Amino acid sequence: MDYLIVTLLQLLTTIGNLALISLGLAVIFGMMRVINLAHGEFIMLGGFTAVFATQAGVNIWISMLVIAPVAVGLLGLVIERLVIRHLYGRMIDTMLATWGLSLLLIGLATTFFGNRVVGIAAPTGGLRIGEYAMGSYDLVLLAIAVALYAGAAVFLMRTRAGLKARATMQNREMAAGLGIEPARVYAVTFSVGAALSGLAGALLAPVSGVLPTMGVAYVAKAFITVITGGASPILGAGLASGLLGTINAAMNILASPVIGDIALLLAATIFLRLLPTGITGRFFKGKA
């Protein structure tokens, strides 16, 4: 029984981690249709920000939950104003621009921080279940992921600002005709997506450590999850995280992490073959 409980908790934490790294991309790619290949580097920068802020004496929770997302969100705003805003509607150009940005951020991070792993200790202790032990911080991450997705869905569906964001993404010209400023909505939305990516990197720093090339390990999983989710960016990413995370965790336990990643990719391929518009494509088009 203890082994089953621990296995279930490991499965849930894998789902939570996948959901965390996918949320920022669900906003930028799922809502804005911007192919952001620098998504992994936003996660990396959030991790570095949290680590260095904590080492400078800032409370670890403030470093992870406030400083990291704000710093990366502001960087995202600058990038949107200088680069991305000139490329809306040009997916290939956006992909190339963000790929170049990804290489630039990796190079700068390597130059300033070195090609080494840095990290911080988890802010919570261990959890013992019978003869088995695991970090209670993993459960904290799961709870935060659930809260973030619920908050994002409520914001998009139940608030005036969320309605404006959805309207702008669906029909920019009509939104402008109704008095909404599309340029401002795009800038804020991209910044929020970047901030959520930075938050994910900061929260995962105690678990995985941080190094300049860490984003490569996250960006493919995030894209696979968001694309599999389908038309509804938030709900779709959440459902896809649950399905793909379960498969990934099960194969990690039964075989190895490499087999788990392969199984995740194969599962996503099968889902998209059966449901070309994604898990939510047929039922929740246009929703959160």
Side-chain angles (χ1 to χ4, degrees), residues 97-133:
T98 55
W99 179 51
L101 176 64
S102 169
L103 297 177
L104 174 64
L105 293 176
I106 291 174
L108 291 175
T110 303
T111 300
F112 288 106
F113 308 139
N115 192 20
R116 60 189 177 90
V117 179
V118 298
I120 46 179
T124 61
L127 177 67
R128 191 159 194 86
I129 302 174
E131 299 179 354
Y132 302 93

Side-chain angles (χ1 to χ4, degrees), residues 6-31:
V6 171
T7 301
L8 177 60
L9 291 178
Q10 290 176 341
L11 185 150
L12 291 174
T13 56
T14 300
I15 293 172
N17 291 350
L18 184 59
L20 277 176
I21 67 174
S22 301
L23 183 55
L25 192 66
V27 173
I28 292 177
F29 176 64
M31 289 184 62

Side-chain angles (χ1 to χ4, degrees), residues 43-284:
I43 293 176
M44 175 266 291
L45 291 175
F48 272 120
T49 302
V51 169
F52 292 136
T54 302
Q55 291 177 349
V58 180
N59 178 273
I60 186 172
W61 291 110
I62 295 177
S63 298
M64 294 191 300
L65 299 178
V66 179
I67 295 179
V70 169
V72 180
L74 290 175
L75 175 64
L77 181 62
V78 172
I79 291 171
E80 196 279 339
R81 290 290 81 189
L82 294 179
V83 180
I84 304 299
R85 75 186 183 101
H86 303 290
L87 303 175
Y88 288 123
R90 297 155 56 186
M91 277 194 162
I92 301 299
D93 293 342
T94 304
M95 181 176 66
L96 292 174
T98 55
W99 179 51
L101 176 64
S102 169
L103 297 177
L104 174 64
L105 293 176
I106 291 174
L108 291 175
T110 303
T111 300
F112 288 106
F113 308 139
N115 192 20
R116 60 189 177 90
V117 179
V118 298
I120 46 179
T124 61
L127 177 67
R128 191 159 194 86
I129 302 174
E131 299 179 354
Y132 302 93
M134 64 180 296
S136 59
Y137 183 66
D138 291 330
L139 300 181
V140 174
L141 291 181
L142 176 62
I144 292 175
V146 171
L148 286 173
Y149 273 80
V154 170
F155 175 80
L156 287 175
M157 298 297 295
R158 302 296 182 186
T159 67
R160 186 176 182 85
L163 179 62
K164 288 182 178 180
R166 291 168 54 213
T168 303
M169 302 309 159
Q170 292 177 18
N171 193 322
R172 176 174 179 160
E173 290 74 20
M174 183 174 291
L178 295 173
I180 299 173
E181 298 183 41
R184 177 179 297 180
V185 173
Y186 276 108
V188 172
T189 303
F190 191 91
S191 179
V192 169
L196 290 171
S197 302
L199 176 61
L203 290 170
L204 291 172
V207 176
S208 61
V210 186
L211 76 162
T213 56
M214 66 179 287
V216 176
Y218 293 128
V219 67
K221 287 185 178 181
F223 267 103
I224 289 170
T225 302
V226 173
I227 292 171
T228 303
S232 174
I234 304 302
L235 179 60
L239 291 175
S241 296
L243 290 170
L244 299 179
T246 299
I247 294 169
N248 184 227
M251 295 309 297
N252 286 348
I253 295 170
L254 296 174
S256 69
V258 173
I259 299 299
D261 290 342
I262 294 173
L264 184 149
L265 177 60
L266 290 176
T269 303
I270 293 171
F271 278 127
L272 291 175
R273 180 66 180 86
L274 298 176
L275 300 171
T277 56
I279 296 172
T280 60
R282 295 183 179 179
F283 309 106
F284 299 98

